[in-house]
Amino acid sequence: MANIGVILMIFSLIIAMSSVHAKSQMSKQEEAWFRNLCRGKKKVTKLHFYVQDELSGPNKTVYEVSRSNITSISPTSFGQVRVLDNLMTAGPDRNSTELGRAQGLITFADLKESALAMNMNFVFTSGKYNGSTLCLLGRNPILDRDRELPIVGGSGVFRMAQGYSISNTYSYDPVADYGILEYTISVTYVKESDDEKLTEFHFYLHDVVSGRNPTNIPMAMANAATKSPTYFGLIAVMDDLITEGPEPDSKVVGRASGLFGSSSLREVGLHMTFNIVFTEGNYNGSTLAVNGYNPFNNRYRELPIVGGSGVFRLARGVATLENVWYNSTSGDALVEYHVMVLHY
Ligand SMILES: *[C@@H]1O[C@H](CO)[C@@H](O)[C@H](O)[C@H]1NC(C)=O
Ligand SMILES: *[C@@H]1O[C@H](CO)[C@@H](O)[C@H](O)[C@H]1NC(C)=O
Ligand SMILES: *[C@@H]1O[C@H](CO)[C@@H](O)[C@H](O)[C@H]1NC(C)=O
Ligand SMILES: *[C@@H]1O[C@H](CO)[C@@H](O)[C@H](O)[C@H]1NC(C)=O
Ligand SMILES: *[C@@H]1O[C@H](CO)[C@@H](O)[C@H](O)[C@H]1NC(C)=O
Ligand SMILES: *[C@@H]1O[C@H](CO)[C@@H](O)[C@H](O)[C@H]1NC(C)=O
């Protein structure tokens, strides 16, 4: 456990160092752009690409993180959790143009058939979508020919995206344990309707990894995580306090509860899946669901808000974040969030 603590501390250090230039507030232009996007004509974007599923060998891009006590005797590997960072290519050939990486967490979550609960991001690394992401969340019955999964959000040019993905196994080589998956994605953008509200707010998240009462605790790790410079395969659970102001005794607004996994082989990047739970004021009892990719080496960090409850029913939006301070000795951090959501 000591090792995990050290890793998490280094992990937090990298997070803090690389977020120095992050921009936490949207400019007036961005706000206008956001409103226009939401009010504009519905635009549909279609994408087609392949994902290289390299399941074994020295260059494998899929790792087991944890398993249940019946995974090894289950015909469907029930309870296994994997982290993946697969290459996305323009054509089926792995040498064809790189478009991005398919990164995130998958869980073997069906006792009877081979079906995965997928929670991942398509992180574009070239072309016109470079730097943008799309978030996929759904059930994947991998033995079916065509599988449809929801696209629940995105960032960059895909802000406020929603859509669906159809995938099939283009080829699978059982000797190399290498699959090529074909994806066709259609996304449109949430449109603001007359009865919707736009709510904006700021808050500060207190991320405590040190001391007797940490609120961010590692819970599972791929064997490779200890050797990986990006801690690929480390998963942590968090229940961080959020407050109105930056001071530790500032008024409590709620908690940020959920998990994140290090899902990138190339950079320190986390797949985040958590809920903002309000415990005070007008939003008391309401929640916002956040799901997306947090690339710490990017100047600008942005996470999609993909849903909500209570006051935030049917919410869609964007959260931008920046570290206010970071203590490299303790590993603790204070992160400023700026959130814009459309809801009813
Ligand atoms: C693994 O990657 C290295 C470097 O790209 C390459 O030289 C090697 O051929 C790859 N090995 C396999 C089995 O694909
Ligand atoms: C797995 O754990 C559950 C709950 O602790 C227990 O009831 C079950 O017997 C275990 N199964 C095996 C195969 O060990
Ligand atoms: C990819 O390119 C390498 C060398 O550039 C070649 O050895 C390999 O066979 C190519 N792979 C495929 C699937 O075409
Ligand atoms: C993608 O964007 C990053 C960051 O702006 C840049 O460093 C990189 O060169 C771009 N890649 C391509 C292939 O355009
Ligand atoms: C928030 O809501 C809970 C549950 O309804 C209630 O117990 C609590 O007193 C409320 N807190 C405030 C500050 O209104
Ligand atoms: C950073 O954390 C260490 C260890 O908990 C503590 O001794 C130190 O005072 C902290 N530094 C600041 C600037 O808060």
Side-chain angles (χ1 to χ4, degrees), residues 37-247:
L37 173 67
C38 301
R39 286 178 180 154
K41 279 199 187 114
K42 280 216 171 186
K43 188 175 99 180
V44 175
T45 302
K46 280 197 182 286
L47 300 108
H48 179 247
F49 55 83
Y50 295 82
V51 168
Q52 308 290 325
D53 201 21
E54 195 156 1
L55 296 159
S56 53
N59 299 331
K60 71 174 180 172
T61 54
V62 182
Y63 285 78
E64 176 178 314
V65 176
S66 67
R67 50 173 52 217
S68 73
N69 65 349
I70 64 156
T71 299
S72 56
I73 54 169
S74 161
T76 61
S77 297
F78 185 73
Q80 190 189 42
V81 177
R82 292 179 175 180
V83 59
L84 74 160
D85 180 4
N86 287 346
L87 182 66
M88 291 160 57
T89 51
D93 186 335
R94 69 166 302 152
N95 289 350
S96 72
T97 309
E98 172 176 333
L99 294 182
R101 312 289 298 189
Q103 304 180 329
L105 303 172
I106 59 179
T107 306
F108 288 74
D110 195 308
L111 283 160
K112 298 209 175 89
E113 87 178 271
S114 292
L116 311 174
M118 314 258 302
N119 189 343
M120 52 178 270
N121 301 293
F122 295 111
V123 179
F124 293 88
T125 56
S126 77
K128 60 181 166 175
Y129 306 128
N130 188 9
S132 297
T133 69
L134 277 172
C135 183
L136 172 141
L137 181 65
R139 178 177 189 269
N140 187 0
I142 52 178
L143 300 181
D144 288 6
R145 207 189 85 86
D146 291 313
R147 288 93 70 176
E148 178 178 333
L149 279 84
I151 299 289
V152 297
S155 66
V157 301
F158 296 119
R159 264 184 199 169
M160 306 296 277
Q162 57 180 9
Y164 62 96
S165 152
I166 306 284
S167 59
N168 64 76
T169 304
Y170 177 85
S171 67
Y172 175 69
D173 176 348
V175 176
D177 200 10
Y178 193 106
I180 300 173
L181 309 166
E182 181 178 13
Y183 276 86
T184 304
I185 291 179
S186 298
V187 289
T188 182
Y189 302 89
V190 173
K191 190 178 166 188
E192 186 177 13
S193 61
D194 292 341
D195 49 354
E196 263 181 310
K197 298 186 205 52
L198 175 60
T199 298
E200 276 188 79
F201 42 79
H202 262 99
F203 54 77
Y204 294 83
L205 176 145
H206 302 257
D207 191 40
V208 182
V209 302
S210 74
R212 288 186 173 197
N213 300 304
T215 59
N216 171 345
I217 304 172
M219 64 175 199
M221 203 164 149
N223 289 336
T226 43
K227 284 175 256 153
S228 162
T230 61
Y231 311 104
F232 185 63
L234 177 68
I235 299 183
V237 60
M238 67 178 189
D239 185 17
D240 287 344
L241 197 63
I242 59 181
T243 59
E244 220 169 65
E247 309 79 23

Side-chain angles (χ1 to χ4, degrees), residues 18-24 30 267 294-302 320-323:
S18 41
S19 62
V20 171
H21 302 293
K23 189 163 92 180
S24 74
E30 274 177 313
E267 62 178 352
N294 201 345
F296 294 108
N297 295 322
N298 285 11
R299 181 165 172 269
Y300 188 61
R301 286 152 63 188
E302 169 182 325
T320 57
L321 40 149
E322 156 178 50
N323 280 11

Side-chain angles (χ1 to χ4, degrees), residues 238-274:
M238 67 178 189
D239 185 17
D240 287 344
L241 197 63
I242 59 181
T243 59
E244 220 169 65
E247 309 79 23
D249 58 352
S250 168
K251 191 177 171 217
V252 173
V253 177
R255 321 279 308 182
S257 311
L259 61 85
F260 60 89
S262 186
S263 63
S264 173
L265 286 160
R266 289 184 181 175
E267 62 178 352
V268 175
L270 301 181
H271 175 62
M272 314 281 300
T273 175
F274 66 99

Side-chain angles (χ1 to χ4, degrees), residues 16 206 246 323-327 330 332-335:
H206 302 257
N323 280 11
V324 179
W325 58 256
Y326 169 71
N327 184 330
S330 66
D332 300 341
L334 179 70
V335 187

